[in-house]
């Protein structure tokens, strides 16, 4: 017989001071130049992300991946070994068949026989990543940034200032994978969003709002924190060349989910004017958010904000939510779980089942079989 009683214990918690997005780990050929320090002393990087606008670019990327895979297979199987390598292998086999002892060098050390290297190996390496050359930045010299300025005029490059390895409260300053996924969907469904008025919640660096503004009429990109919003506004300026052809614009505004009202203080940076609030309520038909579901309290606050905003909209609205399910081992469950995602799904279900005579919400999952227009790893957890 065992007497089981509830006993309060200190739950061991493992914390990390910083959080790092792994988006850049999958872009080994990209350069990320540190351009400045922000207001809180964090290094700010400038990264370039290529847009694959047409099918030729998509086919080219697919061809490179297929060629790399094929050559890696041949590399493992040894189907393309040159004659010299084959002769070396033949000689080695003959020596082994004669019972020759292990080869030693002049000092008596064991001489390790390594697998011959063929020309195909070098070709495969060239396909995997570009050669990287150091860039020396000289004080007072502007020619070091010449190639960057030339790249700025391209219509297929998104330039984003961001930080890396931030505290949890500053994760909006990084670039996250779900933002790329939502951007892909926007580019795939251009006609759906053409000339729309859009609100983004938790816009972060602004990359999704910038892509949306290539087809939409007006995008209100919202978040909190003056330093983050300043970075977002800088990214909007850097990418005006993408939005100008379609006449789209991005307005960077503050929107705190923990507050009931819009910030309308004219002296506060990134505040709302009465005209902008009226424009949002009268014309907004699309709301979007990417990778903002990582804290249960913030998730609850976002859905409360979503409820308040949609009740004040004149027209029906579609909300697009993109996120990555992050699996973690927890001591509470003694298993690999995704608690933030589970809480998101439960809250979403509550919204769908809400009994409200004024408004009704329906939820529909989106299949991820649409084209990929940005180079990143589209994993199963998206």
């Amino acid at each position: 017989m065992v007497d089981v009683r509830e006993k309060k214990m200190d739950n061991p918690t493992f914390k990390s001071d910083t959080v790092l997005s792994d988006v850049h780990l999958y872009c080994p050929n990209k350069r990320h130049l540190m351009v400045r320090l922000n207001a809180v002393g964090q290094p700010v990087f400038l990264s370039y992300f290529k847009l694959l606008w047409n099918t030729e670019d998509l086919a080219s990327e697919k061809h490179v991946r297929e060629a790399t895979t094929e050559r890696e297979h041949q590399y493992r199987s040894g189907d393309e070994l040159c004659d010299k390598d084959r002769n070396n292998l033949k000689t080695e086999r003959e020596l082994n068949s004669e019972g020759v002892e292990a080869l030693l060098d002049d000092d008596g050390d064991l001489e390790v026989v390594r697998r011959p290297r063929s020309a195909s190996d070098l070709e495969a390496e060239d396909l995997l990543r570009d050669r990287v050359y150091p860039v020396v930045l000289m004080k007072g010299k502007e020619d070091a940034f010449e190639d960057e300025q030339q790249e700025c005029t391209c219509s297929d490059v998104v330039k984003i200032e961001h930080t890396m390895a931030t505290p949890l409260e500053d994760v909006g300053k990084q670039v996250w994978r779900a933002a790329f996924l939502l951007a892909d969907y926007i580019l795939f469904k251009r006609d759906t969003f053409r000339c729309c008025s859009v609100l983004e919640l938790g816009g972060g660096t602004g990359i999704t709002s910038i892509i949306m503004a290539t087809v939409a009429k007006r995008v209100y990109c919202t978040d909190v924190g003056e330093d983050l919003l300043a970075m977002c506004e800088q990214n909007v300026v850097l990418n005006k060349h993408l939005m100008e052809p379609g006449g789209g614009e991005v307005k960077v505004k503050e929107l705190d989910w923990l507050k009931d009202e819009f910030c309308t203080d004219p002296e506060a940076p990134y505040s709302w004017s009465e005209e902008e609030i009226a424009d949002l309520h009268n014309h907004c038909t699309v709301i979007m958010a990417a990778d903002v579901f990582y804290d249960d309290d913030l998730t609850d606050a976002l859905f409360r904000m979503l409820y308040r905003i949609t009740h004040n909209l004149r027209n029906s609205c579609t909300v697009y939510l993109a996120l990555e399910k992050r699996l973690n081992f927890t001591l509470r469950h003694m298993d690999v779980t995704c608690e933030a995602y589970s809480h998101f799904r439960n809250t979403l279900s509550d919204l769908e089942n809400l009994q409200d005579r004024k408004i009704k919400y329906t939820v529909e999952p989106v299949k991820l079989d649409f084209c990929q227009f940005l180079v990143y790893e589209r994993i199963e957890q998206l």
Side-chain angles (χ1 to χ4, degrees), residues 196-214:
C196 286
S197 183
V198 182
L199 169 67
E200 181 175 12
L201 302 174
T205 60
I207 184 171
T208 310
S209 286
I210 291 167
I211 295 299
M212 176 64 84
T214 62

Side-chain angles (χ1 to χ4, degrees), residues 314-325:
R314 172 174 293 183
N315 303 305
S316 297
C317 180
T318 304
V319 183
Y320 296 91
L321 305 174
L323 72 158
E324 180 180 341
K325 294 184 286 185

Side-chain angles (χ1 to χ4, degrees), residues 157-200:
V157 172
V158 184
K159 302 175 293 297
I160 296 294
E161 285 194 1
H162 60 93
T163 59
M164 294 185 185
T166 64
L168 186 61
E169 60 268 20
D170 283 340
V171 292
K173 296 177 181 178
Q174 299 189 52
V175 183
W176 298 93
R177 193 183 281 108
F180 287 117
L181 180 72
L182 187 52
D184 273 345
Y185 187 76
I186 293 167
L187 294 173
F188 181 70
K189 292 282 190 179
R190 290 186 185 89
D191 292 340
T192 302
F193 304 107
R194 201 172 300 280
C195 299
C196 286
S197 183
V198 182
L199 169 67
E200 181 175 12

Side-chain angles (χ1 to χ4, degrees), residues 340-359:
Y341 176 74
S342 299
H343 185 77
F344 158 75
R345 291 294 304 182
N346 292 334
T347 310
L348 189 63
S349 179
D350 292 340
L351 187 68
E352 187 178 19
N353 297 326
L354 182 67
Q355 299 296 327
D356 192 325
R357 296 180 180 179
K358 296 181 180 179
I359 193 168

Side-chain angles (χ1 to χ4, degrees), residues 60-315:
S60 176
E61 290 288 331
K62 183 179 179 182
H63 172 72
V64 169
R65 289 195 298 270
E66 290 178 349
T68 303
T69 303
E70 176 64 20
R71 294 195 182 280
E72 285 177 349
H73 173 72
Q74 293 170 345
Y75 174 79
R76 289 191 297 269
S77 61
D79 288 341
E80 290 190 358
L81 290 176
C82 62
D83 294 338
K84 181 179 179 181
D85 294 334
R86 292 185 186 279
N87 292 334
N88 290 339
L89 284 175
K90 183 179 179 181
T91 304
E92 182 184 340
R93 294 193 189 99
E94 291 175 352
L95 290 174
N96 290 336
S97 64
E98 295 175 2
V100 177
E101 296 180 358
L103 299 176
L104 303 178
D105 61 14
D106 296 337
D107 297 330
D109 298 322
L110 179 65
E111 198 169 274
V112 180
V113 178
R114 303 190 180 277
R115 181 172 59 181
R117 187 164 184 163
S118 67
S120 61
D121 305 342
L122 300 176
E123 293 174 8
E125 281 190 1
D126 289 340
L127 287 172
L128 286 173
R129 64 174 61 200
D130 299 334
R131 294 186 178 184
V132 179
Y133 299 97
V135 178
V136 180
L137 302 181
M138 303 294 291
K139 185 176 180 180
K141 299 288 185 180
E142 297 180 357
D143 55 345
F145 293 96
E146 219 172 89
D147 55 339
E148 273 74 25
Q149 293 172 353
Q150 291 176 358
E151 216 170 346
C152 289
T153 61
C154 296
S155 61
D156 61 348
V157 172
V158 184
K159 302 175 293 297
I160 296 294
E161 285 194 1
H162 60 93
T163 59
M164 294 185 185
T166 64
L168 186 61
E169 60 268 20
D170 283 340
V171 292
K173 296 177 181 178
Q174 299 189 52
V175 183
W176 298 93
R177 193 183 281 108
F180 287 117
L181 180 72
L182 187 52
D184 273 345
Y185 187 76
I186 293 167
L187 294 173
F188 181 70
K189 292 282 190 179
R190 290 186 185 89
D191 292 340
T192 302
F193 304 107
R194 201 172 300 280
C195 299
C196 286
S197 183
V198 182
L199 169 67
E200 181 175 12
L201 302 174
T205 60
I207 184 171
T208 310
S209 286
I210 291 167
I211 295 299
M212 176 64 84
T214 62
V215 291
K217 178 182 179 181
R218 182 176 295 112
V219 182
Y220 291 98
C221 182
T222 67
D223 216 311
V224 292
E226 185 176 346
D227 195 49
L228 170 59
L229 293 172
M231 177 188 292
C232 182
E233 191 170 52
Q234 171 67 7
N235 287 331
V236 172
V237 174
L238 287 173
N239 293 279
K240 276 190 174 181
H241 62 288
L242 295 176
M243 299 174 280
E244 286 177 347
E249 67 170 335
V250 176
K251 291 194 172 187
V252 179
K253 297 294 176 182
E254 177 184 334
L255 187 58
D256 191 340
W257 307 340
L258 300 177
K259 297 180 180 179
D260 294 336
E261 303 294 336
F262 291 89
C263 177
T264 56
D265 182 0
E267 295 184 359
Y270 307 105
S271 61
W272 296 72
S273 67
E274 295 297 336
E275 291 78 10
E276 289 169 336
I277 296 175
D279 176 65
L280 177 72
H281 289 159
N282 292 332
H283 301 105
C284 179
T285 56
V286 175
I287 298 177
M288 61 181 183
D291 248 332
V292 296
F293 304 102
Y294 56 90
D295 178 89
D296 291 354
D297 292 336
L298 288 178
T299 296
D300 294 338
L302 182 142
F303 275 100
R304 287 194 297 268
M305 174 64 70
L306 195 62
Y307 179 82
R308 289 195 298 269
I309 290 176
T310 52
H311 264 68
N312 291 318
L313 296 182
R314 172 174 293 183
N315 303 305

